[in-house]
């Protein structure tokens, strides 16, 4: 991640767009390029949200190095007691600057989400009890798996995917890595949110049922958010 000062130009552009639109209430969607994800198991000994956040920070430090979590703002997906959740982290300085600068533009920040979490929320009614969710934006693929409504794993990686054929090849690789048997009796459901590809014919793969999640027509701002905030690796 680059120096904190580099966020100022990024947020300034966003603030000017908000001023030009004269929006008074805004839902911010950040590219997955700016986020870090983890799957956090249920810990019954954790008594409150503060202890949950402390555990997420410890897990983050285990992966990214001691003290790395100090620069990140953490949140969780919703889940029932006893179920694992997604831990979502975005740069703390970016989080603060978005709130402060958009406030100066007289715009209320109603929510700050990531691309993956926004897709989950927008399509939660059609997601099955088990499956995979693939969220594709320019140069970035975020993939999560759940079984019986419980998250098993999640990760986000750089990916050069420019066609449905590229995506099918990536799915084959992911199935092999996950040791998922495509010839199993029940189909593996993979929900795909790929706005750049959703207008193209999608291929087939034995043992897999692809469900393409279309971008709601009333939410064009999601694509603009990708372009504005997804320009950094």
């Amino acid at each position: 991640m680059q120096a904190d000062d580099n966020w100022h130009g990024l947020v300034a552009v966003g603030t000017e767009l908000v001023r030009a639109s004269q929006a008074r209430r805004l839902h911010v969607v950040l590219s997955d390029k700016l986020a870090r994800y983890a799957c956090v198991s249920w810990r019954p000994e954790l008594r409150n949200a503060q202890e949950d956040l402390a555990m997420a920070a410890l897990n983050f430090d285990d992966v990214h190095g001691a003290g790395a979590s100090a620069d990140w703002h953490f949140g969780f997906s919703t889940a029932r007691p006893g179920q694992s959740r997604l831990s979502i982290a975005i740069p703390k300085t970016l989080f603060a600057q978005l709130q402060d600068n958009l406030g100066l533009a007289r715009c209320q920040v109603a929510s700050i989400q990531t691309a993956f979490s926004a897709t989950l929320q927008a399509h939660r009614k059609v997601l099955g009890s088990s499956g995979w969710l693939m969220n594709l934006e320019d140069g970035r693929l975020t993939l999560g798996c759940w079984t019986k409504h419980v998250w098993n794993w999640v990760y986000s990686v750089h990916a050069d995917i420019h066609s449905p054929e590229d995506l099918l090849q990536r799915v084959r690789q992911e199935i092999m890595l996950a040791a998922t048997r495509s010839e199993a009796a029940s189909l593996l459901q993979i929900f795909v949110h790929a706005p750049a590809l959703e207008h193209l014919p999608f291929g087939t793969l034995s043992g897999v049922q692809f469900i393409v999640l279309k971008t709601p027509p009333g939410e064009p701002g999601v694509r603009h958010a990708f372009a504005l905030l997804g320009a950094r690796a």
Side-chain angles (χ1 to χ4, degrees):
M1 193 61 62
Q2 301 179 26
D4 291 347
D5 289 346
N6 288 340
W7 298 125
H8 292 297
L10 185 90
V11 176
V13 172
T15 303
E16 288 306 313
L17 290 174
V18 172
R19 285 198 177 103
S21 70
Q22 298 183 339
R24 290 291 175 262
R25 184 177 173 86
L26 191 69
H27 296 273
V28 179
V29 179
L30 298 173
S31 167
D32 285 333
K33 295 178 183 180
L34 305 175
R36 300 291 182 269
Y37 294 95
C39 187
V40 181
S41 300
W42 171 259
R43 301 287 291 269
E45 66 271 22
L46 301 180
R47 298 167 296 180
N48 52 47
Q50 288 185 331
E51 293 185 359
D52 285 341
L53 291 172
M55 179 57 66
L58 287 174
N59 291 341
F60 191 94
D61 289 343
D62 286 342
V63 175
H64 299 285
S69 60
D71 297 328
W72 294 78
H73 176 87
F74 290 87
F76 291 99
S77 64
T78 57
R80 297 175 181 174
Q83 294 181 345
S84 60
R85 292 177 292 173
L86 298 184
S87 168
I88 305 169
I90 63 173
K92 187 177 291 185
T93 51
L94 175 59
F95 181 80
Q97 286 185 39
L98 283 169
Q99 291 186 313
D100 293 344
N101 284 268
L102 294 178
L104 292 175
R106 298 182 179 180
C107 179
Q108 178 187 359
V109 179
S111 66
I112 298 177
Q113 295 179 296
T114 62
F116 190 74
S117 65
T119 298
L120 277 173
Q121 180 173 332
H123 299 282
R124 63 186 182 276
K125 292 182 179 180
V126 300
L127 299 179
S129 61
S130 300
W132 291 11
L133 174 62
M134 304 181 76
N135 192 78
L136 180 66
E137 47 182 304
D138 185 24
R140 174 65 45 169
L141 175 67
T142 304
L143 174 62
C145 167
W146 66 94
T147 304
K148 296 181 179 179
H149 302 290
V150 176
W151 286 99
N152 299 323
W153 46 262
V154 62
Y155 63 90
S156 185
V157 295
H158 173 77
D160 290 319
I161 297 175
H162 305 290
S163 68
E165 291 76 17
D166 291 342
L167 192 58
L168 284 174
Q169 180 59 31
R170 186 61 186 247
V171 169
R172 292 188 186 95
Q173 296 173 2
E174 296 296 341
I175 289 175
M176 292 179 63
L177 290 172
T180 300
R181 295 182 59 192
S182 59
E183 67 271 19
S186 59
L187 290 175
L188 170 62
Q189 286 192 322
I190 299 182
F191 299 86
V192 180
H193 182 252
L197 305 179
E198 66 183 24
H199 63 290
L200 300 175
F202 211 79
T204 60
L205 190 62
S206 177
V208 176
Q209 179 186 13
F210 290 102
I211 299 96
V212 178
L213 304 176
K214 297 295 183 72
T215 303
E219 297 183 11
V222 170
R223 298 189 186 186
H224 295 301
F226 288 172
L228 173 63
L229 298 172
R232 296 159 56 103

